[in-house]
Amino acid sequence: MSGGAAGRIAALNGELTLSFLTRIAARYHLGIRDVLAAVTDVGGLQNLTGMLYPDSEIHLNAQARDRVAALCHVPQHVLEQALPAWTREEPRGKYGTGPVGRLMRGEEVVAAWGPACPACTAARTGREVPARRYLAPEQRVCARHRYWLLYLPHTGGLTVPLGRCPEVIEAQRGHARLLHRSPIGAQAFEVARAVTNSWWEEPWPRQEHAWPARLDATRPDGADPGWWKVAARDLITYPETVALARLLASRPLQQRAVAESGGHLPYRLGELPALLAEVAHELQRPWLVHRLAAVTHGPLFTWAHSCVRTRVSGEATAHKALWRVHSTHRPRPLSDLLPHVPAADGTPPVPRPVMRLRGHSLQAERAFERSLAHAHAYHQQFGHLAVPKEDSFGDYPLGAWLSNLRTRHTRVPAHQAAALHALYPWWNAPWSTLWQRTWHQARDHMEANGPLEPASGFPTTGYSLGEWLYLQCTRYPALHPEQQRLLTQIGIDAAAAAAAHPRRRSYAERFQVGLAHARTFADVHGNLAVVAHAAMHDSYPLGQWLGNQRRGRRSDRQPLPAERAQALADIDPWWNPPWGLSWQRHYYRARDAAVGSLLQAENGFSDLDDPDSADWLWRQSATYDELSEEQRQLLTDIGITADVARSAREHARTAPPRPAAAPAPHTDKPSPVGKGADPAASTHRRRTRRAAEPERPREPRSRLGHRPDLRQGFETAVAHARAYAAEHGHLAAPRDTRHDGYPLGWWLFSQRNRAKQRARDGLPPSPHLTELAAIDPWWNPPWNIEWQRNYYRARNHIEAGEPYDPVARIPAPSTVLGSWITRACLTYHQLHPDQQHLLNAIGITAQTARQWPATPRPRPHAEALQHARTWAAEHGHLCPPIKTVRNGFPLGEWLDSQRQLAKKRASPSPTQQILAMIDPWWNPPWPILWQRTYHHALEHPRHPAARNWIHNQQRGWLLLHPHQQHLLTTAELVNV
């Protein structure tokens, strides 16, 4: 093909490469396929990949670009300045070396484009040939010739005359001024575009007149109205989008929205009436205030929510969150929305399947439907969805699912948010779920018992509910406006809250509750003196209550009434003795030790089994004359009379001293042995007994289960453990488990820790723990309790008759239970023998583990992360080619799969967080090929390909991501 026949063919600024090739073909009177064949010819074969469509773009390698430059007689550096995609990629062909071209299409891989203005193209080229250009949003309007340059998928675009829509041209001028004056103008336009597009998809109200008139004025002749309404979406909403972007970019508006919120995160847009009024005034639609007041989801609500949450902070992270448009709020691509492509020759249109929303997998939608069914069942039973995060409904973790949705409620898809709002409007309330549950409790109480009567102190409510209601009354002015509205529904408005009185439980009622616990305790232990101040009886603070009664009995300010003191005396006459409680406790202990024993004062009571009680009796005998009459009478009741006390004192005086011990080495300090052998040393009865008898080894005792004041609590906990095991079949309860209000999970956790500490200290197991072992032999296994909990889940799965076959991978490894079975099979030979025995009981044997799986065994993430760390240590990054294999591990494929998973997740997984710690740019928001080339240029900056690439980045500097610009400047590859 000769290049001289056509002469020099100039490229339009910002033109698509394929559009330029099409114009070259027209100048040579050829078809585009002929030009592509000539440009990519390799030995008679066309080295071209992809399909050719009217909306395609092409990427060429260096050799193909040389041929194009020869055809158009334009130097390559000129073409590089005019064509944005000229050097964007170096494709690889299917026929080895030589010129290569790669065709691509779609709004995800090709930047936004549109048709070039016909008049401007004709003036620039001298020919009326259609062309396509990359267009920014502000470049969609040709103000000189009054055209809207409309992108249409599957076509070359459409130029729409704007002669009857001067407001669109005026909006383009305002758009340019916004971008010039505001550094966040482009981001504000994207948020505004998401807002107006969300309004476009809703049914238009009857008050809307501008959009229908504009739609009718711009519709081409013969075009289907339904098709045109979808295609012209951005054109019709453009003036309102620019006006809204100018308003949202106003910092005073943001500050007024924050001040109007009162520091509360909005639940609905109606809580920010000034913001809605300004939006309605700017868009000249007064009816928008009423229409937007009830909105609780969508891009405008998300912007207002982020504005209040970040407090319009000057930090970069806050601005990034404020102007982020989540994927659920972005306008859907036209290629997904247009049901068919209109044919120009009158042939019937070709139907196109409606595509699924981008970023929403079918698996995720099905999972949401299943979770929503559980939420519906919970709502039918309890009337709300204020589920605690740790609670489950049946076997489904409904609380965790709802908590995750509340955390990202602004990013939930619109149809999912609508389904949850229809089920329960307060599913994403900006206050705690505990507050919402208590409000439902108060509402149910009001419906069952009548008005709450705040001025009377909520007399019909229980103590805790009444105190909560009074607390809301005291905090009423600071509550969220929606919380105030909810309280108004149960009869507590501002006036009622100001007149509320605190809920006070009757003192007589509280005394009877404590008296009942005291009576129960005395029936078991025989007295009330042994109750320690911190003692609990069935979760009731009995020790503290008795201390309060004793203080009241001894006080003159608020004396204990005589009838109440008599009620306690009927239980234990010495519940409040005039002497110290310690004396009374020792007395009861000595009395119990003296039962069935003969007190022999002449031997110093050494025949008693309890040495401490014997010592205490000797001390009482020594001070017998100093005791009160009541104390002497109590001692007489157990056999310590005045004569017995006298005999005990005589024994102490006449008892022989301890025998002398062997002489100790001479030291400056007197030895204890020498001191004991001194006749002048004290002849205390205990020292005498210790000298006469060999020292007995002290038995190790358990902290819990032996002390009388702790035994009752242990029995209560064991009762809860027994009930839990009867219900679930085991004691592998999570740490936050509560059984009938009792913190059973924490109690079992503490018992396991104490048992392990005794084992580490070389002590024998506590005797009381045999009761737990009798309930569940594996209540404290030598392996992780989480493993045991998963084992019980697998066992319950089998007992429920669910499909189960480890060899056939049922349940699937993608499920939680299947993943645990997979790990159990892969690590079978590393497990404890008892773990293997338990696995054998559910069908997982050594033979099953050897057969798992039939295909190459999936590698755990720990091994993959180790390979990633080693690669990063060697190369300084985590951007290896996809076919990279390191020591037999497919590192490139694994990293690519992690990047694909990261795109589907709302927050990074633990594995992805570790990868980010290894290399912050392992999954950049730009193509990974750019990152690989960046690292190559960083390592070999003088390589010709690297220098060419750096030069291309300088040319397209404004098209780069800010973080790309940061990487290039900090590495000193580009000087700006």
Side-chain angles (χ1 to χ4, degrees), residues 341-457:
V341 181
D345 56 358
T347 57
V350 180
R352 293 182 54 81
V354 179
M355 300 181 65
R356 187 174 64 250
L357 279 172
R358 305 298 170 97
H360 299 279
S361 66
L362 185 61
Q363 181 181 2
E365 292 296 331
R366 290 175 178 172
F368 176 81
E369 293 174 0
R370 290 193 297 269
S371 303
L372 187 65
H374 288 286
H376 193 275
Y378 185 93
H379 184 270
Q380 284 185 332
Q381 182 174 348
F382 298 99
H384 61 83
L385 288 182
V387 189
K389 181 178 180 180
E390 63 276 3
D391 280 12
S392 298
F393 184 63
D395 294 333
Y396 185 77
L398 184 62
W401 178 71
L402 285 171
S403 176
N404 293 336
L405 285 180
R406 295 188 196 103
T407 302
R408 53 182 180 88
H409 68 95
T410 57
R411 293 173 283 171
V412 174
H415 66 283
Q416 296 182 4
L420 287 166
H421 189 272
L423 181 59
Y424 183 65
W426 309 103
W427 71 273
N428 63 332
W431 49 83
S432 67
T433 55
L434 176 61
W435 192 98
Q436 195 66 20
R437 286 196 303 275
T438 314
W439 178 86
H440 281 283
Q441 181 183 351
R443 187 191 64 179
D444 297 342
H445 179 86
M446 183 193 69
E447 294 175 353
N449 301 280
L452 296 174
E453 303 180 21
S456 301

Side-chain angles (χ1 to χ4, degrees), residues 103-118:
L103 292 167
M104 55 202 323
R105 62 191 293 261
E107 295 170 71
E108 289 79 11
V109 294
V110 180
W113 60 269
C117 174

Side-chain angles (χ1 to χ4, degrees), residues 19 329 691 879 903 969 972:
S19 171
H329 299 149
C879 301
K903 294 177 182 177
T969 53
E972 298 182 355

